[in-house]
Amino acid sequence: APSSSPSSTPPPLSKPVEVLGGVLTIENAKTGRSKCRKCMEPIAAGELRIGMQAWIMGRQAVTWQHPCCFMGNLTVAVEATGRGKCKGTGLPLTKGEPKLGMRSHTNTSWLSLGCAAEVLAPVVNAAPAADADAMRVALGGDGASPQLEGLDGLGPAHADAVCAVMRQVEAAGRAEGASGVSDDDSKTDSAASDDDAGDAKPKT
């Protein structure tokens, strides 16, 4: 599991941050009872966690992951039909163009490359300082290829475009990290609070 030592954990947020109106939720775990849907380890109370909607236990609920687990759970594919929509913008995905998939439990939400940095940079910024090197390598920093499922199956032009976007995500996350996660304009409701008895909570 990712590092969660108190000295490396980002300062607590005053309230949950909703990225692009609720595509993702970033908040401090309140109870320590939730589990990361990637590594299945508990998320410590006070640790920043990434929430995403998924169908679990017969209901639609917010499921949680460590920031590094969330980024390590990304996938990439080529839009086959043009009927899919970008989760960030709501606009149709372009047929034949690469798209990034955010995964939690059994759900995958797709992003166009154009909005990936805006959605994913806050996740990078939420990672503990102790995980910064691993996050940078995973995103293709220092000239490496991103550790991204599906990348090897893309053609050279598409792979280059995805690598460039992941480097943008990493750079944008570092830029946000210089000033901290911003929660000035975030919105939340009762569904964003953690009263989970396990690893998910219903969206009401």
Side-chain angles (χ1 to χ4, degrees):
S3 171
S4 58
S5 61
S7 62
S8 67
T9 301
L13 301 175
S14 61
K15 55 186 175 181
V17 172
E18 291 196 355
V19 180
L20 282 185
V23 174
L24 299 175
T25 299
I26 302 175
E27 68 171 33
N28 297 97
K30 298 177 179 65
T31 67
R33 294 194 301 266
S34 61
K35 285 185 178 181
C36 173
R37 298 307 306 179
K38 179 69 162 59
C39 71
M40 300 307 295
E41 294 292 329
I43 300 175
E47 186 176 0
L48 286 175
R49 61 185 184 174
I50 311 303
M52 181 177 139
Q53 288 282 323
W55 186 261
I56 182 170
M57 296 185 293
R59 57 181 178 160
Q60 191 75 8
V62 178
T63 55
W64 301 104
Q65 295 177 75
H66 297 103
C68 283
C69 288
F70 182 89
M71 297 301 292
N73 211 13
L74 297 176
T75 187
V76 64
V78 172
E79 171 62 23
T81 66
R83 294 193 296 269
K85 289 188 177 182
C86 171
K87 187 68 172 179
T89 65
L91 298 175
L93 295 163
T94 303
K95 182 178 180 180
E97 292 297 314
K99 58 184 179 179
L100 280 171
M102 306 180 294
R103 298 186 292 187
S104 188
H105 194 52
T106 59
N107 187 49
T108 302
S109 295
W110 296 100
L111 297 173
S112 63
L113 298 189
C115 77
E118 183 176 0
V119 174
L120 298 176
V123 180
V124 176
N125 188 27
D131 294 331
D133 288 343
M135 181 74 82
R136 185 173 65 254
V137 171
L139 294 176
D142 301 327
S145 294
Q147 297 172 2
L148 189 62
E149 183 176 309
L151 185 63
D152 292 343
L154 299 181
H158 284 167
D160 288 346
V162 170
C163 289
V165 166
M166 297 309 288
R167 287 191 288 269
Q168 290 175 7
V169 169
E170 194 266 335
R174 283 191 287 107
E176 287 194 10
S179 58
V181 176
S182 173
D183 59 3
D184 292 341
D185 299 322
S186 64
K187 296 179 182 180
T188 186
D189 55 24
S190 60
S193 64
D194 179 13
D195 57 358
D196 48 12
D199 52 15
K201 64 180 187 296
K203 183 74 175 180
T204 56

